[in-house]
Amino acid sequence: METKSIMIVGVGGQGTLLSSRLLGAVLTAKGYDVKVSEVHGMSQRGGSVVTYVKYGDEVYSPIIEKGEADYILSFEQLEAARWLPFLKKGGKLIVNTQQIDPMPVVIGAAEYPQGVIEAIGATGADITSIDALSLAVEAGSSKAVNVVLIGVLASKTDIAYDTWVDAVKATVPAKFLELNLKAFDLGYNYK
Amino acid sequence: MAKELRIGNDAVARGLYEGGVRVVSSYPGTPSTEITEFISTYDDVYSEWAPNEKVAAEVALGAAIAGARAFCGMKHVGLNVASEPVFTGSYTGVNAGWVIAVADDPGMHSSQNEQDSRHYAKAAKVMMLEPSDSAECLEFAKKGFELSEQFDCPVILRLTTRVAHSRSLVEIGDRNDIGVKEYVKNPQKYVMMPAMARGRHVVVEQRLLDQAEWAESCELNRVEMNDTKIGVITSGVCYQYAKEALGKNASYLKLGCVYPMPIDIIRDFAAKCDKVYVLEELDPFIEEHCKANGIDVIGKEAFTVQGEYSQSLIAKVILGKETEAISTDLEIPGRPPVLCAGCPHRGLFYALKKQNVTVSGDIGCYTLGALAPLGMIDTCICMGASVSALHGRNKANPENEKKSVAVIGDSTFIHSGVTGLIDIAYNASNSTVIILDNSITGMTGHQQNPTTGKTIKGDPATAVNLEALAKAVGIDRVRVVDPYNLKETEAAIKEELAVEEPSVIISRRPCTLLKYVKHEKPLKVNADKCRGCKACMKIGCPAISFRDKKAVIDFTQCIGCGVCEQLCAFGAIEKGE
Ligand SMILES: Cc1ncc(C[n+]2csc(CCOP(=O)(O)OP(=O)(O)O)c2C)c(N)n1
Ligand code: SF4
Ligand code: SF4
């Protein structure tokens, strides 16, 4: 099998690292060769963050370059637009519609662009946009945005539902399991 | 055995563990920190956070000489600090093995420079191994102890960010604990004064020759012959990039040992290929070795000494292939990192801004105070430099004393700020030093340090008393402020700048991300009272934004620190319920 590439992008502190860990667990369970590349440190303080996940028979480079991602999972609108050039032709983009103003916008040195989702749609990219924050709150915590989004991604892959659920069970602490399973389902069943 | 997905640093920790490490001392630094954090989870290994990298390396070398396999880990610039014991440790050699991990950061994801640690191996004449994925991280770390003992030499394991922070599959093995070897007194070997050191230098030079010969046939350096039109000499993560870009269309010589380097196998390999590229990030280290030996290779003339390599860079340069990319025509503002909502450093910087002072800065979360809208750091050089550079500034022109301060974090102060403070006291400058004591080493992901009262394992420990320390070195004016209280903080800064003697202000409040810190209810903006003056936005709290001409506070981020509330002249920022 050819190597597949998934990018998870967002804002430092949004919990993107948990999603990549979850994905890693699912893909290892399926017996793939897997590489996950994260960036720790400085950018975790509210900067633009990106995680690369790659799987297949044999994966070499741990990073994803422009035009290579089969899926991009974006935790925030602006980040989706920023990383769009990494999407492969025919790749799928899943975007949480949440908007988080970057500091240049907060201080009035720049503007948060209007119509981000439409602009991305206009490039012909296959985009699914979802208000994952509301669904996370519905599941019981605003922190579960990451699991909602993983649920959406899961519904677009050919990996079985149960494999995902097992990985959620293995990755999140027991006391938050019920909440996270609910969050996963809300994402998985999102149309 | 089933394979596990592990981050490179975790795999290094596992390799050290399996290799029988007994004593570990490190100072945190991205991207090396997690090695030691993972080691601290093994109960049968002694581990600690040292005050700085020099101490860490000396602890490790001391343990190795005493007969225990030992380790210290650091980021690339940490090796500058630790270089002293490493250079002379190369002469003393070891008794039990000593492995040093150093993590370079091409692309400077979290660093102040882009130095290439391989030069240290050459300069200190010590062996250096470079893994290219987590499996090799484990294998090379383990092998490091054997090689260190075989050649009686420190062994450096060089990582880069993409290896240290990528997860890939590893196979776990058993621990080989060799116990503590006997220590035999041997001044000729361990007392490095001129007469003995001259003898040891002879040993070191012979050792390099032996290692270079070993490098010709060791299994860490390997050749993969495919199509011979393109030959690639590479090491570390560049090997992975090359394999992805070129696959079977190229042949490879992968160096697992980057110092000392073999020459015969390189010559042999190059002779079999039509065109040979050296693929290595940062400096032309392998390339210069090839060229110095008359081997015709293409290196930096086609690539770059700056930033990271990638599969697409290699495909573009070697194959002339480019991947198509789509994009919108939106103007996308950047998203630089920021101090967290409720960060205790914010109030301090705001108070400094009101005083309009020059700030001699240092390295930590608080370096983010350099960015807009605070913009309150004038210099940032290396750890500890804030304090000593302020002293220099004040000696350059005593008028600066009344309008300049140094800011330094608790961990950084202990690392190498206290020596600068001793200089201020001893050589008398009226400097004002502000220690931002947030009770943790924040920037690198929250490690304990000598001021926090806890060990690496979270057990109670003796805590350095910063007030008493400052007094003990000769600073009489030492005071503590709460940076959440803007008035008090501002007043203290004003007073200490005015007095004719050196002073230390300790700005004390724990980092909001610490588990034991209780957050207040989020504040909210009363839209009827808000006049849209944006006074509250001058502190750059990421929880505050501006919508429809009014400030709004994001309840998911606000921790109710109350700093913005003190800026609003209209009482529009209210306690949430
Ligand atoms: C020589 C060296 N070692 C390690 C580092 C990595 N590093 C950057 S900041 C920092 C410490 C930050 O802690 P502290 O001074 O307490 O400030 P905080 O981040 O908590 O605000 C470290 C270890 C470095 N930059 N240079
Ligand atoms: S981690 Fe702590 S010290 Fe660092 S920016 Fe956040 S609150 Fe401030
Ligand atoms: S109280 Fe104000 S300054 Fe503090 S975290 Fe909340 S919004 Fe930010």
Side-chain angles (χ1 to χ4, degrees):
Chain A
M1 168 198 149
E2 235 187 83
T3 298
K4 292 260 184 213
S5 302
I6 306 174
M7 270 170 83
I8 303 171
V9 303
V11 178
Q14 272 192 307
T16 53
L17 289 183
L18 180 93
S19 332
S20 60
R21 225 149 282 175
L22 221 153
L23 260 178
V26 167
L27 298 167
T28 331
K30 293 286 293 175
Y32 291 117
D33 186 23
V34 182
K35 281 192 178 160
V36 179
S37 185
E38 306 164 349
V39 171
H40 299 217
M42 196 79 159
S43 51
Q44 281 301 321
R45 304 271 167 275
S48 168
V49 288
V50 54
T51 304
Y52 307 113
V53 180
K54 296 171 77 163
Y55 63 103
D57 294 334
E58 189 157 15
V59 181
Y60 294 110
S61 166
I63 63 169
I64 298 171
E65 288 274 295
K66 283 192 177 154
E68 292 183 352
D70 295 283
Y71 299 92
I72 296 180
L73 192 59
S74 180
F75 280 51
E76 201 270 351
Q77 283 196 32
L78 190 61
E79 295 310 309
R82 185 187 317 284
W83 297 99
L84 178 67
F86 284 70
L87 196 66
K88 192 187 251 175
K89 247 197 183 144
K92 291 185 165 65
L93 180 66
I94 300 159
V95 188
N96 177 17
T97 53
Q98 199 176 344
Q99 289 190 14
I100 300 175
D101 287 355
M103 200 44 67
V105 170
V106 171
I107 62 171
E111 271 184 45
Y112 197 107
Q114 298 296 307
V116 172
I117 303 286
E118 295 71 24
I120 294 173
T123 64
D126 177 341
I127 177 172
T128 306
S129 60
I130 169 173
D131 178 0
L133 183 59
S134 298
L135 293 180
V137 171
E138 187 184 327
S141 164
S142 61
K143 295 209 167 77
V145 165
N146 46 18
V147 182
V148 173
L149 289 172
I150 283 287
V152 183
L153 175 71
S155 71
K156 297 187 182 295
T157 65
D158 44 19
I159 298 171
Y161 174 83
D162 290 344
T163 314
W164 293 94
V165 168
D166 288 344
V168 174
K169 287 182 182 158
T171 316
V172 306
K175 65 174 172 181
F176 299 122
L177 184 58
E178 202 180 320
L179 182 167
N180 279 299
L181 287 176
K182 187 164 175 206
F184 179 83
D185 281 342
L186 285 171
Y188 195 84
N189 298 318
Y190 181 80
K191 288 277 151 358
Chain B
M1 185 170 280
K3 291 192 170 180
E4 293 178 19
L5 196 57
R6 293 209 186 195
I7 191 165
N9 283 342
D10 186 2
V12 171
R14 181 70 205 180
L16 295 168
Y17 177 76
E18 291 180 11
V21 73
R22 290 187 143 248
V23 175
V24 172
S25 182
S26 301
Y27 183 72
T30 314
S32 72
T33 313
E34 299 84 0
I35 301 174
T36 303
E37 290 182 321
F38 280 111
I39 284 177
S40 74
T41 64
Y42 295 106
D43 283 334
D44 38 355
V45 177
Y46 171 77
S47 59
E48 64 174 30
W49 288 127
N52 66 34
E53 293 88 350
K54 179 175 184 287
V55 173
E58 289 157 354
V59 169
L61 177 55
I65 290 175
R69 287 187 169 177
F71 169 81
C72 58
M74 60 202 71
K75 69 183 282 152
H76 61 342
V77 287
L79 189 50
N80 301 335
V81 180
S83 60
E84 177 87 67
V86 173
F87 274 76
T88 304
S90 169
Y91 277 37
T92 62
V94 298
N95 173 20
W98 178 23
V99 174
I100 303 158
V102 57
D104 286 4
D105 190 16
M108 293 180 277
H109 296 278
S110 306
S111 301
Q112 66 266 42
N113 76 24
E114 213 170 12
Q115 69 187 51
D116 186 330
S117 296
R118 293 176 299 174
H119 298 296
Y120 270 109
K122 192 171 180 185
K125 304 179 192 256
V126 300
M127 180 177 262
M128 181 178 261
L129 310 180
E130 184 172 19
S132 71
D133 61 12
S134 297
E136 285 185 353
C137 281
L138 192 156
E139 184 195 332
F140 289 13
K142 198 165 160 178
K143 184 99 189 152
F145 285 120
E146 285 168 31
L147 291 170
S148 173
E149 286 167 19
Q150 179 184 338
F151 291 106
D152 190 9
C153 169
V155 170
I156 303 179
L157 192 65
R158 183 213 190 209
L159 308 171
T160 55
T161 303
R162 297 302 183 183
V163 173
H165 284 168
S166 292
R167 289 166 198 278
S168 56
L169 296 172
V170 297
E171 220 165 307
I172 304 304
D174 294 329
R175 175 163 165 88
N176 170 29
D177 184 1
I178 61 158
V180 179
K181 286 180 152 183
E182 190 193 355
Y183 163 74
V184 182
K185 185 172 170 128
N186 185 352
Q188 296 300 325
K189 181 167 180 328
Y190 296 125
V191 181
M192 285 304 94
M193 49 203 289
M196 284 85 142
R198 277 181 212 117
R200 289 303 296 176
H201 191 182
V202 176
V203 175
V204 168
E205 295 303 328
Q206 183 56 47
R207 182 179 74 202
L208 275 182
L209 295 176
D210 295 346
Q211 287 175 335
E213 195 186 315
W214 166 88
E216 296 289 356
S217 58
C218 73
E219 80 264 27
L220 299 184
N221 297 332
R222 65 164 203 264
V223 173
E224 290 171 35
M225 293 311 291
N226 302 306
D227 194 310
T228 52
K229 277 196 237 16
I230 300 169
V232 169
I233 303 173
T234 187
S235 73
V237 75
C238 287
Y239 166 75
Q240 308 290 354
Y241 296 150
K243 288 282 281 192
E244 180 142 333
L246 309 170
K248 293 241 186 293
N249 298 320
S251 294
Y252 304 87
L253 169 55
K254 177 184 178 303
L255 297 176
C257 177
V258 289
Y259 193 78
M261 264 180 275
I263 190 63
D264 292 346
I265 52 172
I266 295 180
R267 203 187 302 281
D268 237 42
F269 176 78
K272 288 185 193 139
C273 301
D274 300 348
K275 211 171 183 182
V276 180
Y277 291 91
V278 174
L279 298 179
E280 58 185 329
E281 287 168 334
L282 304 180
D283 296 339
F285 190 78
I286 302 173
E287 177 185 339
E288 280 173 0
H289 173 73
C290 295
K291 288 183 174 165
N293 285 286
I295 299 165
D296 188 21
V297 295
I298 304 165
K300 295 297 170 183
E301 61 267 49
F303 287 87
T304 171
V305 292
Q306 286 161 45
E308 299 185 279
Y309 280 24
S310 65
Q311 60 271 24
S312 47
L313 177 72
I314 293 169
K316 188 173 147 196
V317 173
I318 298 184
L319 306 175
K321 254 182 25 193
E322 283 192 69
T323 319
E324 260 179 84
I326 45 170
S327 64
T328 62
D329 48 17
L330 298 173
E331 234 175 85
I332 301 171
R335 191 184 296 276
V338 289
L339 295 170
C340 303
C343 174
H345 299 329
R346 182 172 285 110
L348 190 272
F349 280 112
Y350 184 73
L352 287 173
K353 190 158 188 161
K354 296 279 290 280
Q355 299 299 319
N356 196 22
V357 286
T358 300
V359 180
S360 181
D362 222 301
I363 309 188
C365 284
Y366 50 95
T367 315
L368 295 171
L371 305 181
L374 293 164
M376 276 316 286
I377 292 208
D378 286 81
T379 56
C380 170
I381 306 161
C382 63
M383 291 191 80
S386 58
V387 182
S388 10
L390 174 68
H391 177 70
R393 181 176 185 80
N394 291 342
K395 288 295 177 190
N397 180 356
E399 278 177 23
N400 291 332
E401 289 176 342
K402 298 263 190 277
K403 46 185 189 193
S404 324
V405 301
V407 293
I408 184 164
D410 48 348
S411 182
T412 306
F413 180 73
I414 296 295
H415 178 280
S416 47
V418 64
T419 38
L421 189 66
I422 293 171
D423 195 25
I424 287 174
Y426 171 51
N427 290 311
S429 64
N430 280 345
S431 298
T432 303
V433 173
I434 304 174
I435 303 174
L436 295 101
D437 180 11
N438 62 352
S439 297
I440 205 74
T441 314
M443 181 89 274
T444 43
H446 301 95
Q447 290 74 36
Q448 303 299 336
N449 70 51
T451 71
T452 65
K454 287 202 184 109
T455 67
I456 191 171
K457 297 200 187 212
D459 298 328
T462 305
V464 172
N465 180 325
L466 289 171
E467 293 91 313
L469 176 60
K471 287 203 167 141
V473 307
I475 309 290
D476 293 331
R477 293 188 67 94
V478 180
R479 59 198 285 181
V480 180
V481 296
D482 175 0
Y484 278 180
N485 185 333
L486 294 179
K487 272 212 182 84
E488 177 197 19
T489 305
E490 248 179 78
I493 296 169
K494 219 180 198 153
E495 273 171 48
E496 298 311 324
L497 280 171
V499 296
E500 299 292 334
E501 59 178 297
S503 37
V504 166
I505 302 173
I506 300 170
S507 170
R508 181 167 286 151
R509 225 338 137 165
C511 160
T512 59
L513 297 193
L514 297 183
K515 286 218 172 70
Y516 66 82
V517 173
K518 211 181 137 267
H519 293 175
E520 299 295 326
K521 294 237 165 67
L523 303 193
K524 61 178 197 316
V525 178
N526 182 331
D528 294 336
K529 291 193 190 164
C530 176
R531 305 212 190 158
C533 71
K534 295 192 175 177
C536 59
M537 307 195 67
K538 288 190 194 142
I539 47 170
C541 175
I544 310 179
S545 54
F546 209 67
R547 302 249 187 261
D548 301 327
K549 305 211 166 91
K550 307 266 175 186
V552 280
I553 292 179
D554 172 2
F555 74 95
T556 64
Q557 290 195 64
C558 173
I559 61 116
C561 75
V563 170
C564 57
E565 194 183 355
Q566 297 167 55
L567 298 176
C568 180
F570 310 105
I573 299 182
E574 301 173 346
K575 298 259 179 294
E577 56 285 337

